Short mmCIF file of all heavy atoms in Angstrom, two decimals:
data_model
loop_
_atom_site.label_atom_id
_atom_site.label_comp_id
_atom_site.label_asym_id
_atom_site.label_seq_id
_atom_site.Cartn_x
_atom_site.Cartn_y
_atom_site.Cartn_z
N MET A 139 21.42 -12.12 14.25
CA MET A 139 21.34 -10.69 14.43
C MET A 139 21.07 -10.23 15.88
O MET A 139 21.61 -9.36 16.43
CB MET A 139 20.38 -10.01 13.41
CG MET A 139 20.43 -8.57 13.50
SD MET A 139 19.52 -7.78 12.11
CE MET A 139 18.14 -7.15 13.01
N GLU A 140 20.09 -11.01 16.51
CA GLU A 140 19.66 -10.73 17.82
C GLU A 140 20.83 -10.79 18.78
O GLU A 140 21.06 -9.97 19.63
CB GLU A 140 18.60 -11.61 18.27
CG GLU A 140 18.05 -11.26 19.72
CD GLU A 140 16.91 -12.19 20.12
OE1 GLU A 140 16.22 -12.67 19.23
OE2 GLU A 140 16.71 -12.35 21.31
N ARG A 141 21.71 -11.83 18.59
CA ARG A 141 22.86 -11.95 19.41
C ARG A 141 23.78 -10.82 19.25
O ARG A 141 24.32 -10.35 20.23
CB ARG A 141 23.57 -13.30 19.14
CG ARG A 141 24.74 -13.60 20.08
CD ARG A 141 25.44 -14.89 19.69
NE ARG A 141 26.18 -14.58 18.43
CZ ARG A 141 26.40 -15.53 17.56
NH1 ARG A 141 26.08 -16.76 17.72
NH2 ARG A 141 27.12 -15.26 16.50
N ASP A 142 23.98 -10.33 18.01
CA ASP A 142 24.92 -9.25 17.73
C ASP A 142 24.41 -7.99 18.44
O ASP A 142 25.22 -7.23 19.00
CB ASP A 142 24.95 -8.99 16.24
CG ASP A 142 25.70 -10.09 15.51
OD1 ASP A 142 26.45 -10.94 16.23
OD2 ASP A 142 25.51 -10.24 14.32
N VAL A 143 23.06 -7.71 18.37
CA VAL A 143 22.51 -6.59 19.03
C VAL A 143 22.68 -6.65 20.51
O VAL A 143 23.10 -5.72 21.19
CB VAL A 143 20.97 -6.41 18.68
CG1 VAL A 143 20.32 -5.35 19.61
CG2 VAL A 143 20.83 -6.05 17.19
N ARG A 144 22.46 -7.83 21.09
CA ARG A 144 22.64 -8.05 22.56
C ARG A 144 24.08 -7.64 22.95
O ARG A 144 24.20 -7.03 24.02
CB ARG A 144 22.25 -9.49 22.94
CG ARG A 144 20.86 -9.79 23.01
CD ARG A 144 20.71 -11.30 23.41
NE ARG A 144 19.27 -11.64 23.50
CZ ARG A 144 18.61 -11.56 24.59
NH1 ARG A 144 19.16 -11.20 25.72
NH2 ARG A 144 17.32 -11.94 24.66
N GLN A 145 24.95 -8.10 22.19
CA GLN A 145 26.40 -7.87 22.54
C GLN A 145 26.76 -6.45 22.37
O GLN A 145 27.53 -5.80 23.16
CB GLN A 145 27.35 -8.76 21.71
CG GLN A 145 27.19 -10.17 22.14
CD GLN A 145 28.07 -11.15 21.19
OE1 GLN A 145 28.53 -10.72 20.16
NE2 GLN A 145 28.28 -12.36 21.57
N LEU A 146 26.28 -5.84 21.32
CA LEU A 146 26.63 -4.42 20.92
C LEU A 146 26.16 -3.41 22.04
O LEU A 146 26.87 -2.51 22.38
CB LEU A 146 26.02 -4.03 19.61
CG LEU A 146 26.36 -2.65 19.11
CD1 LEU A 146 27.92 -2.50 18.79
CD2 LEU A 146 25.57 -2.35 17.85
N ILE A 147 24.97 -3.64 22.53
CA ILE A 147 24.47 -2.69 23.44
C ILE A 147 24.30 -3.26 24.92
O ILE A 147 23.65 -2.63 25.79
CB ILE A 147 23.06 -2.08 23.03
CG1 ILE A 147 22.08 -3.19 22.92
CG2 ILE A 147 23.22 -1.32 21.75
CD1 ILE A 147 20.58 -2.69 22.65
N ASN A 148 24.91 -4.42 25.10
CA ASN A 148 24.84 -5.07 26.40
C ASN A 148 23.38 -5.23 26.89
O ASN A 148 22.98 -4.80 27.99
CB ASN A 148 25.66 -4.26 27.46
CG ASN A 148 25.89 -5.07 28.75
OD1 ASN A 148 25.79 -6.27 28.77
ND2 ASN A 148 26.09 -4.32 29.85
N LEU A 149 22.56 -5.81 25.99
CA LEU A 149 21.15 -5.92 26.20
C LEU A 149 20.80 -7.00 27.25
O LEU A 149 21.29 -8.09 27.16
CB LEU A 149 20.43 -6.31 24.83
CG LEU A 149 18.93 -6.36 24.85
CD1 LEU A 149 18.37 -5.00 25.14
CD2 LEU A 149 18.44 -6.84 23.47
N LYS A 150 20.00 -6.60 28.29
CA LYS A 150 19.57 -7.46 29.34
C LYS A 150 18.15 -8.01 29.13
O LYS A 150 17.83 -9.13 29.52
CB LYS A 150 19.74 -6.86 30.64
CG LYS A 150 21.24 -6.48 30.96
CD LYS A 150 21.25 -5.64 32.31
CE LYS A 150 22.74 -5.39 32.66
NZ LYS A 150 23.47 -4.53 31.62
N ASP A 151 17.32 -7.23 28.62
CA ASP A 151 15.85 -7.63 28.41
C ASP A 151 15.39 -7.35 27.03
O ASP A 151 15.17 -6.22 26.64
CB ASP A 151 15.03 -6.86 29.45
CG ASP A 151 13.55 -7.34 29.47
OD1 ASP A 151 13.12 -7.88 28.44
OD2 ASP A 151 12.94 -7.16 30.51
N ALA A 152 15.33 -8.44 26.16
CA ALA A 152 15.02 -8.27 24.79
C ALA A 152 13.55 -7.72 24.61
O ALA A 152 13.31 -7.01 23.70
CB ALA A 152 15.15 -9.53 24.07
N ASN A 153 12.68 -8.08 25.57
CA ASN A 153 11.33 -7.56 25.47
C ASN A 153 11.20 -6.06 25.60
O ASN A 153 10.44 -5.37 24.89
CB ASN A 153 10.37 -8.29 26.46
CG ASN A 153 10.19 -9.68 26.20
OD1 ASN A 153 10.19 -10.17 25.01
ND2 ASN A 153 10.18 -10.54 27.30
N LEU A 154 11.98 -5.50 26.51
CA LEU A 154 11.96 -4.08 26.69
C LEU A 154 12.65 -3.31 25.44
O LEU A 154 12.09 -2.31 24.99
CB LEU A 154 12.76 -3.67 27.94
CG LEU A 154 12.08 -3.86 29.24
CD1 LEU A 154 13.04 -3.52 30.47
CD2 LEU A 154 10.81 -3.08 29.35
N PHE A 155 13.66 -4.00 24.92
CA PHE A 155 14.29 -3.39 23.75
C PHE A 155 13.30 -3.39 22.53
O PHE A 155 13.26 -2.49 21.76
CB PHE A 155 15.60 -4.07 23.40
CG PHE A 155 16.32 -3.47 22.27
CD1 PHE A 155 17.01 -2.17 22.52
CD2 PHE A 155 16.46 -4.01 21.07
CE1 PHE A 155 17.68 -1.58 21.46
CE2 PHE A 155 17.11 -3.44 20.03
CZ PHE A 155 17.71 -2.20 20.21
N GLU A 156 12.56 -4.48 22.39
CA GLU A 156 11.60 -4.66 21.30
C GLU A 156 10.47 -3.57 21.50
O GLU A 156 10.08 -2.90 20.49
CB GLU A 156 10.99 -6.00 21.27
CG GLU A 156 10.01 -6.20 20.14
CD GLU A 156 9.46 -7.70 20.05
OE1 GLU A 156 10.11 -8.59 20.59
OE2 GLU A 156 8.45 -7.87 19.46
N LYS A 157 10.05 -3.34 22.71
CA LYS A 157 9.05 -2.31 22.98
C LYS A 157 9.58 -0.94 22.65
O LYS A 157 8.98 -0.08 22.00
CB LYS A 157 8.64 -2.35 24.46
CG LYS A 157 7.52 -1.36 24.85
CD LYS A 157 7.16 -1.52 26.29
CE LYS A 157 6.02 -0.54 26.68
NZ LYS A 157 5.71 -0.75 28.14
N PHE A 158 10.90 -0.72 23.01
CA PHE A 158 11.58 0.53 22.65
C PHE A 158 11.61 0.77 21.15
O PHE A 158 11.31 1.83 20.66
CB PHE A 158 13.01 0.40 23.28
CG PHE A 158 13.93 1.48 22.73
CD1 PHE A 158 13.91 2.82 23.08
CD2 PHE A 158 14.93 1.04 21.81
CE1 PHE A 158 14.80 3.74 22.56
CE2 PHE A 158 15.86 2.01 21.33
CZ PHE A 158 15.79 3.35 21.67
N ILE A 159 12.00 -0.26 20.40
CA ILE A 159 12.07 -0.14 18.93
C ILE A 159 10.70 0.24 18.38
O ILE A 159 10.62 1.05 17.44
CB ILE A 159 12.63 -1.38 18.31
CG1 ILE A 159 14.05 -1.63 18.73
CG2 ILE A 159 12.48 -1.38 16.79
CD1 ILE A 159 15.02 -0.55 18.21
N LYS A 160 9.66 -0.44 18.80
CA LYS A 160 8.32 -0.14 18.26
C LYS A 160 7.89 1.31 18.65
O LYS A 160 7.32 1.95 17.75
CB LYS A 160 7.30 -1.20 18.86
CG LYS A 160 7.49 -2.55 18.28
CD LYS A 160 6.54 -3.52 18.91
CE LYS A 160 6.78 -4.95 18.31
NZ LYS A 160 5.85 -5.90 18.99
N LEU A 161 8.14 1.73 19.89
CA LEU A 161 7.76 3.11 20.22
C LEU A 161 8.58 4.10 19.50
O LEU A 161 8.04 5.11 19.05
CB LEU A 161 7.87 3.26 21.74
CG LEU A 161 6.92 2.55 22.61
CD1 LEU A 161 7.41 2.60 24.06
CD2 LEU A 161 5.56 3.21 22.47
N LEU A 162 9.83 3.76 19.27
CA LEU A 162 10.77 4.68 18.56
C LEU A 162 10.24 4.80 17.10
O LEU A 162 10.26 5.92 16.51
CB LEU A 162 12.18 4.17 18.58
CG LEU A 162 13.27 5.05 18.10
CD1 LEU A 162 13.29 6.36 18.91
CD2 LEU A 162 14.62 4.39 18.16
N ALA A 163 9.88 3.75 16.46
CA ALA A 163 9.34 3.74 15.13
C ALA A 163 8.12 4.66 14.98
O ALA A 163 7.91 5.27 13.95
CB ALA A 163 9.02 2.30 14.60
N GLY A 164 7.31 4.69 16.05
CA GLY A 164 6.11 5.50 16.04
C GLY A 164 6.42 7.02 16.16
O GLY A 164 5.54 7.87 16.02
N ARG A 165 7.66 7.35 16.48
CA ARG A 165 8.02 8.75 16.68
C ARG A 165 9.00 9.22 15.59
O ARG A 165 9.66 10.22 15.84
CB ARG A 165 8.74 8.84 18.09
CG ARG A 165 7.75 8.49 19.16
CD ARG A 165 8.42 8.46 20.54
NE ARG A 165 7.47 7.94 21.54
CZ ARG A 165 7.49 8.20 22.78
NH1 ARG A 165 8.45 8.95 23.24
NH2 ARG A 165 6.58 7.67 23.57
N VAL A 166 8.98 8.56 14.49
CA VAL A 166 9.82 9.05 13.39
C VAL A 166 9.52 10.40 12.93
O VAL A 166 8.28 10.81 12.87
CB VAL A 166 9.68 8.07 12.21
CG1 VAL A 166 10.37 8.62 10.97
CG2 VAL A 166 10.31 6.72 12.49
N GLY A 167 10.51 11.24 12.74
CA GLY A 167 10.25 12.64 12.42
C GLY A 167 10.09 13.57 13.56
O GLY A 167 9.91 14.77 13.32
N GLN A 168 10.07 13.08 14.76
CA GLN A 168 9.95 13.92 15.89
C GLN A 168 11.22 14.15 16.67
O GLN A 168 12.10 13.25 16.53
CB GLN A 168 8.93 13.29 16.92
CG GLN A 168 7.55 13.08 16.31
CD GLN A 168 6.61 12.43 17.35
OE1 GLN A 168 6.87 12.45 18.61
NE2 GLN A 168 5.49 11.83 16.91
N ILE A 169 11.34 15.17 17.41
CA ILE A 169 12.53 15.35 18.24
C ILE A 169 12.46 14.30 19.38
O ILE A 169 11.35 14.14 20.02
CB ILE A 169 12.60 16.78 18.73
CG1 ILE A 169 12.83 17.78 17.67
CG2 ILE A 169 13.66 16.94 19.83
CD1 ILE A 169 12.74 19.18 18.09
N ILE A 170 13.55 13.64 19.67
CA ILE A 170 13.51 12.64 20.68
C ILE A 170 13.49 13.23 22.10
O ILE A 170 14.31 14.00 22.46
CB ILE A 170 14.75 11.72 20.62
CG1 ILE A 170 14.73 10.97 19.30
CG2 ILE A 170 14.76 10.72 21.75
CD1 ILE A 170 15.97 10.20 19.01
N ASN A 171 12.49 12.80 22.84
CA ASN A 171 12.37 13.17 24.25
C ASN A 171 12.78 11.98 25.08
O ASN A 171 11.99 11.04 25.17
CB ASN A 171 10.98 13.61 24.63
CG ASN A 171 10.86 14.04 26.02
OD1 ASN A 171 11.42 13.47 26.92
ND2 ASN A 171 9.94 14.98 26.29
N TYR A 172 14.09 11.86 25.52
CA TYR A 172 14.53 10.71 26.11
C TYR A 172 13.72 10.27 27.35
O TYR A 172 13.39 9.06 27.55
CB TYR A 172 16.03 10.87 26.49
CG TYR A 172 16.92 11.09 25.42
CD1 TYR A 172 17.49 12.36 25.15
CD2 TYR A 172 17.23 10.03 24.52
CE1 TYR A 172 18.36 12.53 24.17
CE2 TYR A 172 18.12 10.30 23.45
CZ TYR A 172 18.66 11.48 23.29
OH TYR A 172 19.54 11.70 22.22
N GLN A 173 13.32 11.24 28.14
CA GLN A 173 12.58 10.93 29.37
C GLN A 173 11.23 10.32 29.05
O GLN A 173 10.84 9.41 29.68
CB GLN A 173 12.40 12.16 30.25
CG GLN A 173 11.92 11.96 31.65
CD GLN A 173 12.76 10.95 32.42
OE1 GLN A 173 13.89 11.07 32.44
NE2 GLN A 173 12.13 10.00 33.02
N SER A 174 10.54 10.90 28.15
CA SER A 174 9.27 10.45 27.74
C SER A 174 9.28 9.02 27.17
O SER A 174 8.51 8.10 27.53
CB SER A 174 8.54 11.36 26.68
OG SER A 174 7.33 10.84 26.18
N LEU A 175 10.23 8.84 26.27
CA LEU A 175 10.43 7.51 25.65
C LEU A 175 10.77 6.50 26.71
O LEU A 175 10.24 5.36 26.77
CB LEU A 175 11.50 7.56 24.59
CG LEU A 175 11.75 6.28 23.75
CD1 LEU A 175 10.49 5.84 23.10
CD2 LEU A 175 12.79 6.59 22.67
N ALA A 176 11.69 6.86 27.65
CA ALA A 176 12.06 5.96 28.69
C ALA A 176 10.95 5.57 29.63
O ALA A 176 10.81 4.45 30.00
CB ALA A 176 13.26 6.54 29.54
N SER A 177 10.14 6.58 29.91
CA SER A 177 8.94 6.31 30.78
C SER A 177 8.01 5.36 30.06
O SER A 177 7.44 4.47 30.71
CB SER A 177 8.24 7.64 31.08
OG SER A 177 7.07 7.40 31.82
N ASP A 178 7.82 5.58 28.75
CA ASP A 178 6.91 4.64 28.01
C ASP A 178 7.41 3.26 27.93
O ASP A 178 6.64 2.30 27.90
CB ASP A 178 6.62 5.21 26.63
CG ASP A 178 5.85 6.50 26.67
OD1 ASP A 178 5.23 6.84 27.68
OD2 ASP A 178 5.81 7.17 25.56
N VAL A 179 8.65 3.09 27.85
CA VAL A 179 9.29 1.75 27.79
C VAL A 179 9.48 1.13 29.17
O VAL A 179 9.23 -0.10 29.33
CB VAL A 179 10.71 1.84 27.11
CG1 VAL A 179 11.41 0.46 27.17
CG2 VAL A 179 10.61 2.36 25.68
N GLY A 180 9.63 1.96 30.19
CA GLY A 180 9.77 1.41 31.54
C GLY A 180 11.29 1.25 31.90
O GLY A 180 11.59 0.38 32.70
N VAL A 181 12.11 2.09 31.33
CA VAL A 181 13.56 2.09 31.69
C VAL A 181 14.03 3.49 31.98
O VAL A 181 13.22 4.45 31.82
CB VAL A 181 14.40 1.49 30.45
CG1 VAL A 181 13.99 0.08 30.17
CG2 VAL A 181 14.17 2.41 29.24
N ASP A 182 15.26 3.63 32.43
CA ASP A 182 15.82 4.91 32.72
C ASP A 182 16.20 5.63 31.39
O ASP A 182 16.52 4.94 30.38
CB ASP A 182 17.06 4.67 33.56
CG ASP A 182 17.66 5.95 34.11
OD1 ASP A 182 17.25 6.46 35.20
OD2 ASP A 182 18.54 6.52 33.42
N SER A 183 16.16 6.95 31.41
CA SER A 183 16.56 7.74 30.23
C SER A 183 17.98 7.46 29.76
O SER A 183 18.32 7.48 28.58
CB SER A 183 16.35 9.19 30.36
OG SER A 183 17.13 9.73 31.44
N LYS A 184 18.83 7.07 30.75
CA LYS A 184 20.24 6.76 30.42
C LYS A 184 20.28 5.50 29.51
O LYS A 184 21.13 5.35 28.67
CB LYS A 184 21.12 6.56 31.71
CG LYS A 184 21.28 7.79 32.42
CD LYS A 184 22.14 7.46 33.70
CE LYS A 184 22.26 8.70 34.62
NZ LYS A 184 22.98 8.42 35.86
N THR A 185 19.37 4.57 29.82
CA THR A 185 19.24 3.30 28.99
C THR A 185 18.87 3.61 27.60
O THR A 185 19.42 3.09 26.61
CB THR A 185 18.30 2.32 29.63
OG1 THR A 185 18.72 2.07 30.96
CG2 THR A 185 18.22 1.07 28.84
N VAL A 186 17.91 4.47 27.46
CA VAL A 186 17.43 4.96 26.08
C VAL A 186 18.64 5.58 25.34
O VAL A 186 18.87 5.23 24.14
CB VAL A 186 16.28 5.91 26.18
CG1 VAL A 186 15.98 6.55 24.82
CG2 VAL A 186 15.00 5.15 26.67
N LYS A 187 19.39 6.47 25.97
CA LYS A 187 20.51 7.05 25.33
C LYS A 187 21.59 6.08 25.00
O LYS A 187 22.09 6.18 23.91
CB LYS A 187 21.08 8.11 26.21
CG LYS A 187 20.20 9.36 26.42
CD LYS A 187 20.76 10.33 27.45
CE LYS A 187 19.93 11.51 27.67
NZ LYS A 187 20.50 12.49 28.57
N GLN A 188 21.77 5.07 25.78
CA GLN A 188 22.73 4.08 25.50
C GLN A 188 22.27 3.18 24.33
O GLN A 188 23.04 2.90 23.44
CB GLN A 188 22.94 3.13 26.79
CG GLN A 188 23.95 2.01 26.47
CD GLN A 188 24.09 1.12 27.75
OE1 GLN A 188 23.24 1.10 28.60
NE2 GLN A 188 25.28 0.50 27.82
N TRP A 189 21.00 2.91 24.28
CA TRP A 189 20.46 2.11 23.19
C TRP A 189 20.58 2.81 21.84
O TRP A 189 20.73 2.20 20.78
CB TRP A 189 18.99 1.65 23.42
CG TRP A 189 18.83 0.65 24.39
CD1 TRP A 189 19.83 -0.26 24.92
CD2 TRP A 189 17.62 0.21 25.09
NE1 TRP A 189 19.28 -1.13 25.88
CE2 TRP A 189 17.88 -0.85 25.94
CE3 TRP A 189 16.32 0.68 24.98
CZ2 TRP A 189 16.92 -1.50 26.73
CZ3 TRP A 189 15.34 0.01 25.79
CH2 TRP A 189 15.67 -1.03 26.64
N LEU A 190 20.47 4.19 21.85
CA LEU A 190 20.53 4.99 20.72
C LEU A 190 21.99 5.26 20.22
O LEU A 190 22.23 5.61 19.09
CB LEU A 190 19.86 6.22 20.84
CG LEU A 190 18.31 6.15 20.95
CD1 LEU A 190 17.65 7.52 21.33
CD2 LEU A 190 17.72 5.71 19.61
N SER A 191 22.89 5.00 21.09
CA SER A 191 24.29 5.19 20.80
C SER A 191 24.86 4.07 19.88
O SER A 191 24.46 2.97 20.04
CB SER A 191 25.12 5.25 22.10
OG SER A 191 26.57 5.28 21.82
N ALA A 192 25.69 4.47 18.97
CA ALA A 192 26.23 3.48 17.98
C ALA A 192 27.14 2.44 18.67
O ALA A 192 27.27 1.31 18.26
CB ALA A 192 27.01 4.18 16.93
N HIS A 193 27.80 2.82 19.81
CA HIS A 193 28.73 1.93 20.45
C HIS A 193 28.20 1.46 21.85
O HIS A 193 28.95 0.90 22.59
CB HIS A 193 30.06 2.61 20.62
CG HIS A 193 30.69 2.94 19.33
ND1 HIS A 193 30.55 4.19 18.67
CD2 HIS A 193 31.41 2.16 18.49
CE1 HIS A 193 31.19 4.12 17.59
NE2 HIS A 193 31.69 2.99 17.36
N GLY A 194 26.98 1.72 22.19
CA GLY A 194 26.44 1.31 23.50
C GLY A 194 26.90 2.21 24.62
O GLY A 194 26.71 1.82 25.74
N GLU A 195 27.55 3.25 24.29
CA GLU A 195 28.03 4.19 25.36
C GLU A 195 27.00 5.37 25.38
O GLU A 195 26.45 5.77 24.42
CB GLU A 195 29.39 4.72 25.00
CG GLU A 195 30.45 3.61 25.03
CD GLU A 195 31.79 4.06 24.59
OE1 GLU A 195 32.03 5.28 24.54
OE2 GLU A 195 32.59 3.18 24.27
N PRO A 196 26.85 6.01 26.62
CA PRO A 196 25.92 7.09 26.73
C PRO A 196 26.16 8.21 25.72
O PRO A 196 27.27 8.49 25.38
CB PRO A 196 26.11 7.57 28.16
CG PRO A 196 26.71 6.36 28.85
CD PRO A 196 27.58 5.69 27.82
N VAL A 197 25.04 8.79 25.23
CA VAL A 197 25.16 9.92 24.34
C VAL A 197 25.47 11.23 25.05
O VAL A 197 25.01 11.44 26.15
CB VAL A 197 23.77 10.04 23.58
CG1 VAL A 197 23.81 11.25 22.66
CG2 VAL A 197 23.40 8.83 22.90
#
């Protein structure tokens, strides 16, 4: 599954993506603030939007 996820979203750093998933889980039920989430993860907001996209393309 990890390989599939890497290919789907062109994942370069699995540790950052894991951090992203954990932070995202803690924000269930909230409106997504891409900039805040990106800052907490340590990536650009465009990356967060890409990770949230079903096809790995920017939202």
Side-chain angles (χ1 to χ4, degrees):
M139 185 167 108
E140 183 177 334
R141 186 183 70 208
D142 293 340
V143 170
R144 283 179 180 267
Q145 290 175 347
L146 183 64
I147 62 171
N148 194 23
L149 185 62
K150 294 174 180 61
D151 188 333
N153 292 325
L154 285 176
F155 186 72
E156 185 176 336
K157 183 176 181 180
F158 164 74
I159 293 297
K160 289 178 181 178
L161 289 169
L162 192 61
R165 298 174 187 205
V166 170
Q168 298 179 19
I169 295 174
I170 297 173
N171 181 326
Y172 296 111
Q173 189 59 46
S174 173
L175 186 55
S177 177
D178 291 347
V179 175
V181 297
D182 189 86
S183 61
K184 291 178 186 177
T185 301
V186 168
K187 290 177 184 180
Q188 183 180 20
W189 286 346
L190 289 172
S191 170
H193 296 95
E195 297 175 14
V197 177

